[in-house]
Amino acid sequence: MASARTVTAAVAGLAAVAVAAWSAFSGPSVPERFAARIVAPAGYAASTLDWQYYATASDRVPESAVSGAAAIRIAVIDTGADVSAPDLASKRPTGYNLRTHTADITDTNGHGTFVASLAAVAVDGSEAFSGNGSSNDANLLILKAASPGGAVSTADEAGAIRYAVDHGARIINLSFAGTATAPSERRAIRYAVAHGVLLVAAGGNDYGNGNPIEYPAALLQSPGSAGRGGVGLAVAASTRDGLRASFSSTGSWISLAAPGEGVLGAVSGRSSPNAYPRTEVPGVPGLYGYASGTSFAAPQVAGAAALVWGANPALTARDVAQILKETASGHGRWTPELGFGVIDVAAAVERASMTH
């Protein structure tokens, strides 16, 4: 019998608006929501517009790792993307729409563009801001699996995961979360893992809503694991001070963290200014804005993973995940708030280059 479930947008923490209005869904799988909240740019000085880049030591990654990442394909499963955004246009991404079975990945929601810009954007600072993940030459596969409102079912998610694997993705970013899972989702994740793909998922923004276990993150880092092992990475959101963002979910299934409170990213020209407020980036073309959520922490980890793999192509997906954990700010210490800590991209790349 088909299940019907209503997923409500997360509220709490930060002055925010929901990315989408969630409605009842009837079908053979569980709907999920995007793990995001939007904030206005007030209070962010121009000198620190792209603070996340420096907070994760992405500015200290050697050129060899940057160029080496060109062999790594990152798949972003989301609302599509505005490929005319400078950060993405220079990457010449490929794309596919799982809902229409066409190449139309137009992003009217805005979430996917923001996520993609943080996962793998241009290296040339004249064309793009230097957000974390921008220092990589990884190629980008954008898969539109969500409705215009932003809801993605586990059936569409599963189809997108399989498509990504079959089209050469080494890393898959999943910036959405929900409190239920489904067999199709679990099978797709097993398929990706069996093909050596690293999955990265948002940990969720529901600390203030009972702090439930969130999926698909909890399928990658099992509840009770305390960050050990796992088949992927479940990502929490951190602040400028390296602390847990107030909305970020916590638990034994959190792997590590990345900046997720007031981070700068590219904004889709087709998105609502009310949902994605614009802010000027001096001397840089394109639309930009600030947003908060574990949705935007996850792609920074995906971008970091591409750099690690670029530094050492012989690594396995599990190796890459372990290196990112071991070199994070926790220095081997795990907590349910930040997992093994905030990623240190330079340290992870250095560790990878020395691993045989």
Side-chain angles (χ1 to χ4, degrees):
M1 179 178 179
S3 63
R5 189 179 299 268
T6 300
V7 182
T8 55
V11 292
L14 301 180
V17 296
V19 172
W22 305 101
S23 58
F25 172 92
S26 180
S29 63
V30 179
E32 297 177 312
R33 64 173 176 274
F34 286 108
R37 56 188 82 236
I38 309 306
V39 297
Y44 291 92
S47 61
T48 55
L49 282 170
D50 52 355
W51 66 272
Q52 69 262 21
Y53 182 67
Y54 305 98
T56 57
S58 293
D59 58 317
R60 296 190 282 108
V61 174
E63 179 60 32
S64 58
V66 173
S67 57
I72 308 301
R73 170 166 285 188
I74 301 175
V76 174
I77 298 173
D78 219 286
T79 62
D82 181 352
V83 296
S84 69
D87 294 332
L88 301 179
S90 61
K91 301 295 293 185
R92 296 185 295 276
T94 57
Y96 183 70
N97 188 323
L98 274 294
R99 297 174 64 85
T100 63
H101 304 290
T102 68
D104 181 9
I105 55 172
T106 303
D107 181 19
T108 57
N109 180 285
H111 190 275
T113 300
F114 208 101
V115 168
S117 75
L118 291 166
V121 296
V123 175
D124 183 355
S126 67
E127 296 180 356
F129 76 94
S130 53
N132 183 28
S134 64
S135 289
N136 75 65
D137 280 345
N139 62 81
L140 196 61
L141 172 61
I142 297 175
L143 299 177
K144 184 170 182 176
S147 69
V152 57
S153 71
T154 47
D156 287 335
E157 173 204 349
I161 289 174
R162 288 179 175 272
Y163 185 97
V165 173
D166 293 344
H167 288 80
R170 300 290 300 281
I171 301 165
I172 298 176
N173 187 82
L174 306 168
S175 283
F176 40 84
T179 56
T181 182
S184 60
E185 180 180 51
R186 296 191 293 272
R187 287 193 298 269
I189 287 174
R190 288 196 297 269
Y191 182 76
V193 172
H195 285 79
V197 174
L198 176 63
L199 297 118
V200 180
N205 300 332
D206 288 324
Y207 182 78
N209 296 322
N211 197 39
I213 293 173
E214 303 267 3
Y215 300 93
L219 297 175
L220 309 184
Q221 187 75 66
S222 300
S225 66
R228 296 184 297 274
V231 297
L233 295 168
V235 185
S238 61
T239 66
R240 289 189 180 215
D241 298 325
L243 304 175
R244 180 186 66 84
S246 61
F247 54 82
S248 185
S249 299
T250 70
S252 59
W253 45 278
I254 296 296
S255 306
L256 39 64
E261 183 180 271
V263 297
L264 182 70
V267 172
S268 170
R270 298 288 299 276
S271 66
S272 166
N274 294 325
Y276 282 85
R278 278 69 160 151
T279 190
E280 182 181 356
V281 178
V284 179
L287 298 176
Y288 294 91
Y290 288 97
S292 296
T294 56
S295 272
F296 310 126
Q300 295 177 67
V301 174
L307 289 165
V308 170
W309 241 328
N312 188 342
L315 297 172
T316 67
R318 289 176 186 265
D319 292 336
V320 173
Q322 189 61 29
I323 286 172
L324 286 167
K325 291 177 184 180
E326 291 174 352
T327 56
S329 64
H331 302 292
R333 178 176 176 269
W334 179 90
T335 69
E337 289 78 28
L338 294 175
F340 283 101
V342 180
I343 54 170
D344 184 325
V345 185
V349 167
E350 182 179 13
R351 175 73 62 83
S353 66
M354 296 187 298
T355 301
H356 300 289

